[in-house]
Amino acid sequence: MHKCIFYENLLEKFKKIVEENELLNEQISVKGRTLNTQEAIGNPVRKDYPIIKGKEKLMQAEFRGERGQAFTDMPGEFTGTIEEIINRPIQTNFDRAVFISTLNAVCKYLNIADRSIHCKDEEPEECAKKLVEHIEEKYGLPKIALIGLQPAMLQRLSENFHVRVVDLDKEKIGEEKFGVKIENAEEKTEDVLNWCELIVATGSTCANDTITKFLTEKPVIFFGTTISGSAALMNLNRFCPCSK
């Protein structure tokens, strides 16, 4: 799917549910703010998560008591009505994060999406264990492309499957973790996707404009809170058992 078509469809679906629930024209304020590490992920023993290393931040929109989140490399703050956010041009990753976090909060409020708040402390480790069980039960022993380095997941997946991982962080590329070399997403994604039998992709791809690369004929599992609303509206396969 062409990325413009994906975001156009997502925006239209979101606009429709907002209009149906008479939220579009109301002057409802949606506030986005960047969470600090403690707020976002608590205090896990493992300290190599991207959000702890400072490469990405978690933006959070709050709407009528519900919260929606989006990982982004361009954090910032925004306050406005839902109508303003829908009509706001999406030109940067910040714009996209504002839209995605807002969409997630509203979808959670309308009970269209669930589990929109990032898990904390040792829950990412539990999530990784459950992911292995889920894959073995549903897919057997596939060759896996991990899109976005999530260290707990990479460790567990590498212990049970053949895995290749790509990431955009230049400081990580070329490193070896748990016996797996971290490959350059800009150069190696196509090769890795051709090689794999199952794609396990961070939901942050819907906030950094790369998601459509992974909407192929091959099965894909998206993980994380960033994609909660988009997965619900676009019927995408999401795995996020420990989020709230």
Side-chain angles (χ1 to χ4, degrees):
M1 181 185 294
H2 192 277
K3 65 183 179 181
C4 290
I5 295 174
F6 175 85
Y7 286 105
E8 286 174 5
N9 290 346
L10 180 60
L11 183 60
E12 282 302 310
K13 288 175 182 288
F14 182 53
K15 184 176 180 180
K16 182 179 179 181
I17 65 168
V18 169
E19 289 175 336
E20 288 175 349
N21 288 275
E22 299 181 347
L23 300 176
L24 182 62
N25 295 317
E26 293 186 18
Q27 296 298 306
I28 299 171
S29 181
V30 182
K31 297 181 179 180
R33 72 183 184 90
T34 306
L35 301 188
N36 62 39
T37 301
Q38 185 70 29
E39 289 175 307
I41 200 171
N43 188 33
V45 173
R46 188 191 295 270
K47 300 300 181 185
D48 52 355
Y49 293 108
I51 193 168
I52 294 177
K53 303 289 271 185
K55 294 299 180 181
E56 286 188 321
K57 295 297 182 183
L58 196 59
M59 279 177 56
Q60 180 166 284
E62 299 178 4
F63 175 69
R64 291 191 175 182
E66 297 292 354
R67 293 170 290 167
Q69 299 178 334
F71 270 106
T72 181
D73 60 353
M74 290 183 67
E77 297 188 3
F78 180 87
T79 300
T81 65
I82 295 175
E83 183 176 23
E84 288 172 340
I85 290 169
I86 286 176
N87 292 328
R88 177 187 175 90
I90 297 178
Q91 299 174 331
T92 67
N93 281 353
F94 168 70
D95 298 330
R96 199 169 290 104
V98 168
F99 169 58
I100 293 296
S101 60
T102 298
L103 181 150
N104 290 341
V106 174
C107 285
K108 179 72 178 298
Y109 168 73
L110 295 173
N111 292 316
I112 292 170
D114 62 1
R115 292 169 288 123
S116 65
I117 305 302
H118 201 291
C119 57
K120 292 187 176 184
D121 302 323
E122 295 315 302
E123 289 174 330
E125 299 287 342
E126 183 64 25
C127 173
K129 295 177 185 177
K130 290 181 177 181
L131 177 61
V132 169
E133 296 169 0
H134 174 72
I135 292 173
E136 288 179 339
E137 181 179 333
K138 189 168 183 180
Y139 302 98
L141 294 172
K143 294 186 293 185
I144 296 174
L146 180 60
I147 310 301
L149 175 62
Q150 204 278 21
M153 285 186 179
L154 178 58
Q155 180 176 5
R156 295 294 178 180
L157 291 174
S158 67
E159 292 170 351
N160 294 275
F161 309 96
H162 291 297
V163 182
R164 290 175 68 181
V165 57
V166 296
D167 199 272
L168 290 168
D169 185 350
K170 297 291 192 294
E171 292 184 11
K172 295 191 186 108
I173 293 167
E175 289 184 4
E176 187 171 295
K177 292 183 76 71
F178 316 113
V180 181
K181 183 180 178 180
I182 301 169
E183 301 182 59
N184 188 334
E186 293 180 351
E187 298 175 357
K188 293 293 186 179
T189 294
E190 184 176 355
D191 180 54
V192 170
L193 292 180
N194 288 333
W195 167 85
C196 77
E197 296 166 325
L198 173 67
I199 303 165
V200 178
T202 170
S204 303
T205 53
C206 73
N208 68 17
D209 203 23
T210 62
I211 188 170
T212 52
K213 292 181 181 180
F214 314 109
L215 300 178
T216 69
E217 294 181 356
K218 293 187 177 182
V220 57
I221 299 171
F222 290 102
F223 62 88
T225 58
T226 304
I227 202 167
S228 59
S230 299
L233 292 180
M234 301 295 283
N235 196 30
L236 303 176
N237 184 22
R238 176 184 176 229
F239 184 85
C240 201
C242 298
S243 53
K244 304 297 185 289

